[in-house]
Amino acid sequence: MVLLENLSIPSFTAAVRAFFAAEGIVTVEDFLLHDLHKFLAVAEQSAVCVDVKEAVVEALSYLENLQEKWKDGLGLSQQPVGYLSLGCESIDKLLEGGIQEGTLTELVGASSTGKTQICMQAAACAAYNQQCSVIYVDTCGAFSSQRVAHMLGGMLGSLLQVEEQRTELTLSLKSIERIAVFDIFSLLTFLQGTYDKLLTESENWRLRLLIIDSVSSVISPVLGGNHSQGHALMISVGQILKKLAARQRLAILFTNHTVAGIGGQPRPALGGSWKSVPHTRLMLSHDSPRSDVYRMSILKHTGQCCSRQTTFRIGRAGLHSFDTREVATGR
Amino acid sequence: MATASKEEMLQWLTVSESARTMLKRVVERQQPSIAALPPLHRVALHGGHVLEVAGPSGSGKSEIMLQAIVSCILPKEWRGHKLGGSEKPAVFFDLNCHFDMMRLVKLLHSRVREALGQRISMEELSGRAVPAWSLSMGVDCLDELLATSLKRFYHKRCFNSFGFLVALKTIRPFLKDVEMEHGSSPQLLIIDSVGAFYWLDRSVRSAPSDKGRKTLSLHSVSEAVVRELSQLVLTFPTLLILATKTIIHGDTTKEYTNQVGSSYIDRNQQDEMLLSARSSVSTARNRKQGQSHREYMPAAWQGFVTHRLLVQGPFDSGKEGMFFTAKWDLPPSEREDRFIISNSGIELASGRS
C-alpha cells in the first residue's frame, strides 16, 4: 500500500489530498481501482477542479514511467536471442542450442535422475565458456565444488590442458556463487535483493545464469491446508523469477521433484498453478539404478510442439552425449 | 420545467441520422474482424466481442493468439499475391511473460511463403539464434513486407494487476498515436492470460478501512479491469478482445502408487479445492475423459465475456502425432474440431461432429 502523498507529485497539495480522501482515494491501489471518469465528473463541481485534474494526469504518468514501455514488433524481433549451453551435446541438440536467455527452464525428475548434476554442469559450462557469473541457490545441500571442479576439468579433456589453464579454471570456479537458502521467505528476499542489485550495477556484474536447486523443496512445505497463502507465495516466486528473466535477460534453471500421477506415470510436483510458470519443462528419468544412462524428454516448450527425447551419460568428468546405437552394435 | 421537457421532447423527435447512415455504421462494425482461421472459423467475431480461449497449460491457446495476430497485421495483398490479412494494428498484453517473438516471426514467414506458393523446408524453419532477416533468403523485399507488418504489432509486459490497470488507464493516448501512424484503429487487443494474477490478487487483503474506500480484493480488481476494458471498447468500437485463460483440471480417476521420492498429496486436487472455495458463480463441468474444470474468474469477468472456446490437448493419436481439440462453449455447440500445430501454424485435422 503506497500512499499517494508519498509519490511526491507537485500538484498534490493539501486541498487536493483532502478531495481525494473524501472520494475514498488514499493509496495508489485505491486510485487505480477507482473509476476515473466518475471521479473527474465529481471534480468538475468542486473548487479545486483544475488542481485535481493535473494531479490525476501527473500521477498516471508517474506510474506509467515505472512500468515497461510499449515495444513494437520490429524492435522486439531484432533483439538478439542468446543460448547457454548445458555442456552436453545431446541435450543441447534437443533444446536447439541450450537454455534460452530470458526464459525459465524446469528440470523435473524423481530422486537421483541427474537434476543436480545437470545444474552443476550448466554452472561450470556457463562460467568457463561464457566467462559470466553464475548464482547457484542451493536448498538441499547437494552442491559440491569438487564435483564442479571435476566437470570443469572434464570440459578441457586432458590433465596437461588443465595444468596450462589453471588460472582460467580458478577464475571460472570463483565466478560461481553458491547461496544456501532453506525457506521460501529467504528465497523471496534473496531474489528481490538480486533484482535490486542488478538494477543498479548490471554493467560490472556479468550475471547470466541463475540456478535454483530445488525450488520445490522450499515451496512444498507452504502448500497445503485450507488457506491460499501458500499458492500466493508460490506464484510470487514465479513472478519474481519471470521479472528477473525478462528484464535482466537471465537464463533461469530450477529443479522440481515428481509425484504419482495417472496410471502410475510420475508427473511434476507443485500442482497445476505452477505449470504456467516455466517456459520449458524437461522430464528426466533413469533407465535402471545400475546403469549410468539417463533420459531427458520435453514436457513443454514454447517453440516446439511435440515431445522429443534424448539420452545422456553421467561420468566422472561430467555429462556426455550418449548414442543408443552404441549399445546396439555392442561397442 | 415544462419548457425544458418540451425542448427535450422536440429534440427526441428530430432526426439524428438517416437509416442509410445507421445501417452503414452498424454493418461496418459487424464485419468479421479476423480471418476465419481454424479453430475460430465457426463463429464470426467482430469489434466489441470478447473471446475467452480456455484450456489447460500447453493446449495451444497462445498458438491461437499468435495466429490471430498474424492475420491481423499482414496486409490484404502484396505484389499481386493474396495474403488475406487485415492490415490493422494489434496490441498484446503479456501478463504471463511467455511470449515468443521468434515463433511469431516464423509464423509470419510461413504464411507469406505459403501465399507466394513457395515450399518451406524444415531447415529454414528450425533455424534459431539467427537474426530474423536471414530467414528470408531468396526473396527480395520480403524484409520490407515483414518490417511493415511487425511495426503494427505492439507488446507490453505487466507483472501484477496494478501494473495492468496502469497500462489500461494510460492506453488511450497511445492507441490514438497508433491510429494516426497506421491510418486505422487497432483491431485486436490480446490478454495472455487473464488468470495470471489470480492467486496474487486473492491473497491481497486490505486493512479494515475508513468508510468510502473500496476494499482491496480479487473482485474489486477484476471489476476495475472489466470497467477499463469496456470503456476502451466504447472509444474504439472495432476493437476485438481475445483473452486466454488457464484451466486447472482435476482428475476424477486417481491411482496412487508407491514411488521413491514421491509425495501422496495430489496438488491438482488441492488447487481445485481452493479455487472452488471462493468461486461464487456456478461451476461449469466439462466432462471429457473423466476431467472437469471449474470457473475461477470472478463474476465481473465472466459477465464481460461474450464468447468462449475450450481447447484441450495435447493428445497422442499414435500414428498421426499430437493433436488438440477445440469446442465452442459460448455459443454452445456439440461439434468438436481437431487441429494440429505444425511449424507453419494451426491446421485442421479431420474433425468429428
Side-chain angles (χ1 to χ4, degrees):
Chain A
M1 308 286 159
V2 181
L3 291 177
L4 271 177
E5 59 207 28
N6 291 344
L7 290 184
S8 56
I9 302 169
S11 49
F12 204 71
T13 58
V16 170
R17 192 192 320 164
F19 180 77
F20 271 66
E23 288 296 311
I25 303 181
V26 174
T27 63
V28 169
E29 284 83 7
D30 294 335
F31 178 64
L32 290 173
L33 290 181
H34 214 91
D35 187 354
L36 285 182
H37 280 203
K38 280 195 196 151
F39 181 69
L40 289 173
V42 170
E44 290 283 331
Q45 271 115 41
S46 89
V48 283
C49 170
V50 174
D51 290 333
V52 165
K53 281 191 184 165
E54 234 181 81
V56 165
V57 165
E58 282 183 14
L60 279 179
S61 67
Y62 177 89
L63 290 170
E64 199 189 350
N65 284 338
L66 292 176
Q67 311 292 324
E68 285 191 0
K69 302 271 171 288
W70 282 100
K71 297 198 178 96
D72 71 292
L74 192 57
L76 277 178
S77 67
Q78 285 171 337
Q79 266 176 12
V81 171
Y83 286 81
L84 284 179
S85 160
L86 278 173
C88 176
E89 270 167 30
S90 47
I91 300 181
D92 288 341
K93 200 166 151 206
L94 179 74
L95 298 175
E96 292 186 351
I99 326 176
Q100 195 177 344
E101 275 181 1
T103 62
L104 275 62
T105 308
E106 184 182 40
L107 292 171
V108 180
S111 315
S112 65
T113 42
K115 306 190 290 289
T116 309
Q117 298 293 317
I118 296 182
C119 290
M120 290 197 283
Q121 179 84 39
C125 195
Y128 182 71
N129 289 337
Q130 316 273 344
Q131 275 119 39
C132 61
S133 300
V134 176
I135 289 187
Y136 194 107
V137 177
D138 188 14
T139 65
C140 356
F143 181 80
S144 154
S145 39
Q146 258 198 344
R147 184 79 181 120
V148 177
H150 281 153
M151 285 173 168
L152 279 170
M155 284 189 325
L156 287 177
S158 71
L159 273 174
L160 195 63
Q161 281 182 308
V162 170
E163 278 307 312
E164 280 173 13
Q165 302 201 21
R166 192 167 268 276
T167 36
E168 282 96 354
L169 288 179
T170 322
L171 269 175
S172 305
L173 209 50
K174 275 190 182 166
S175 55
I176 303 176
E177 194 185 334
R178 178 208 171 231
I179 314 280
V181 151
F182 300 107
D183 63 282
I184 196 168
F185 303 103
S186 349
L187 179 65
L188 281 170
T189 316
F190 172 71
L191 289 174
Q192 186 64 47
T194 310
Y195 180 72
D196 294 334
K197 208 167 149 192
L198 279 169
L199 280 181
T200 48
E201 34 170 294
S202 56
E203 282 85 39
N204 301 334
W205 191 22
R206 293 199 61 226
L207 178 68
R208 288 179 64 196
L209 177 62
L210 170 68
I211 301 176
I212 307 181
D213 177 27
S214 72
V215 84
S216 51
S217 64
V218 289
I219 295 180
S220 308
V222 294
L223 290 179
N226 276 330
H227 56 86
S228 62
Q229 269 76 22
H231 279 73
L233 284 171
M234 174 172 78
I235 299 294
S236 305
V237 170
Q239 282 300 102
I240 184 82
L241 287 176
K242 281 183 196 170
K243 236 167 133 173
L244 275 169
R247 290 216 178 142
Q248 306 294 341
R249 309 294 300 161
L250 287 185
I252 299 190
L253 179 66
F254 49 87
T255 62
N256 193 2
H257 63 275
T258 53
V259 291
I262 335 167
Q265 282 294 314
R267 62 180 166 83
L270 298 183
S273 315
W274 183 254
K275 261 182 163 175
S276 55
V277 170
H279 293 88
T280 311
R281 289 189 124 186
L282 303 166
M283 173 73 109
L284 293 167
S285 57
H286 198 181
D287 284 346
S288 76
R290 271 168 300 172
S291 91
D292 58 350
V293 174
Y294 296 80
R295 205 167 287 274
M296 177 191 276
S297 60
I298 298 184
L299 283 181
K300 176 184 163 191
H301 197 286
T302 47
Q304 297 179 30
C305 46
C306 32
S307 51
R308 293 155 50 203
Q309 45 175 290
T310 189
T311 48
F312 61 96
R313 196 178 235 153
I314 298 182
R316 196 171 174 275
L319 272 61
H320 309 285
S321 307
F322 175 71
D323 201 347
T324 41
R325 287 173 295 187
E326 279 178 24
V327 177
T329 53
R331 257 192 276 166
Chain B
M1 182 73 170
T3 43
S5 63
K6 188 177 167 190
E7 273 167 24
E8 273 173 19
M9 285 199 310
L10 278 174
Q11 204 180 36
W12 192 73
L13 287 171
T14 50
V15 172
S16 37
E17 60 179 349
S18 70
R20 187 190 209 162
T21 38
M22 186 214 110
L23 273 177
K24 194 169 159 211
R25 172 173 62 88
V26 169
V27 167
E28 233 175 47
R29 201 194 132 151
Q30 301 258 341
Q31 292 290 335
S33 281
I34 47 177
L37 287 173
L40 303 173
H41 56 292
R42 297 211 185 268
V43 176
L45 296 163
H46 58 76
H49 281 165
V50 178
L51 168 66
E52 182 189 83
V53 178
S57 172
S59 51
K61 311 185 289 293
S62 304
E63 193 67 29
I64 299 177
M65 298 293 123
L66 287 180
Q67 185 133 19
I69 295 171
V70 164
S71 318
C72 182
I73 60 179
L74 277 178
K76 289 190 189 64
E77 60 159 25
W78 180 71
R79 299 207 168 171
H81 299 275
K82 273 189 98 52
L83 290 171
S86 317
E87 210 164 350
K88 297 229 174 107
V91 154
F92 191 96
F93 279 102
D94 195 1
L95 306 186
N96 242 349
C97 304
H98 276 190
F99 180 68
D100 193 359
M101 193 66 207
M102 295 228 359
R103 182 91 190 131
L104 179 68
V105 172
K106 277 186 200 167
L107 278 179
L108 267 178
H109 264 288
S110 10
R111 269 289 286 273
V112 171
R113 300 285 271 272
E114 244 177 79
L116 295 179
Q118 291 180 358
R119 301 264 75 211
I120 316 137
S121 63
M122 287 299 289
E123 287 81 42
E124 285 176 352
L125 278 176
S126 63
R128 45 98 212 126
V130 184
W133 308 130
S134 70
L135 286 175
S136 69
M137 31 200 149
V139 185
D140 301 324
C141 303
L142 197 60
D143 283 356
E144 204 191 297
L145 167 65
L146 292 177
T148 40
S149 304
L150 281 174
K151 278 203 196 130
R152 291 190 199 108
F153 173 69
Y154 296 92
H155 171 270
K156 186 174 215 186
R157 273 192 292 248
C158 302
F159 295 105
N160 51 35
S161 289
F162 298 105
F164 186 37
L165 279 171
V166 168
L168 285 176
K169 283 190 198 283
T170 55
I171 201 179
R172 236 174 240 95
F174 172 73
L175 288 181
K176 290 265 186 249
D177 288 338
V178 164
E179 190 172 358
M180 262 199 303
E181 195 183 319
H182 296 281
S184 54
S185 65
Q187 192 183 56
L188 271 191
L189 185 139
I190 303 187
I191 306 173
D192 180 24
S193 69
V194 280
F197 308 129
Y198 173 78
W199 291 107
L200 293 175
D201 292 334
R202 217 176 114 167
S203 69
V204 160
R205 295 235 196 299
S206 57
S209 56
D210 340 311
K211 50 176 193 252
R213 283 178 64 192
K214 277 204 174 117
T215 51
L216 204 58
S217 68
L218 177 65
H219 295 276
S220 56
V221 168
S222 193
E223 270 168 24
V225 167
V226 165
R227 192 178 53 228
E228 295 299 323
L229 285 173
S230 340
Q231 283 171 0
L232 204 60
V233 169
L234 285 177
T235 324
F236 299 95
T238 54
L239 199 61
L240 169 66
I241 300 181
L242 298 181
T244 60
K245 188 181 80 175
T246 313
I247 287 179
I248 299 170
H249 276 285
D251 301 326
T252 52
T253 59
K254 299 177 284 294
E255 277 176 45
Y256 288 107
T257 54
N258 251 324
Q259 278 219 332
V260 176
S262 66
S263 134
Y264 284 92
I265 306 171
D266 186 0
R267 294 277 174 229
N268 268 351
Q269 210 194 13
Q270 195 192 34
D271 281 347
E272 281 252 353
M273 258 170 36
L274 287 170
L275 287 175
S276 62
R278 282 298 189 90
S279 69
S280 49
V281 204
S282 58
T283 59
R285 287 184 181 273
N286 182 19
R287 295 214 167 263
K288 178 177 165 67
Q289 297 175 3
Q291 297 194 329
S292 63
H293 78 272
R294 287 198 177 90
E295 270 292 349
Y296 59 85
M297 289 301 289
W301 173 258
Q302 290 191 43
F304 184 56
V305 166
T306 59
H307 292 72
R308 188 177 296 123
L309 180 71
L310 296 175
V311 282
Q312 284 187 345
F315 301 112
D316 200 353
S317 71
K319 46 184 171 33
E320 286 157 19
M322 315 293 273
F323 68 92
F324 302 82
T325 60
K327 190 168 166 209
W328 281 95
D329 192 44
L330 194 71
S333 149
E334 284 306 315
R335 257 194 244 182
E336 199 177 70
D337 293 314
R338 272 194 195 194
F339 62 95
I340 50 174
I341 300 180
S342 67
N343 270 328
S344 46
I346 296 183
E347 289 157 15
L348 208 56
S350 56
R352 357 177 265 255
S353 35

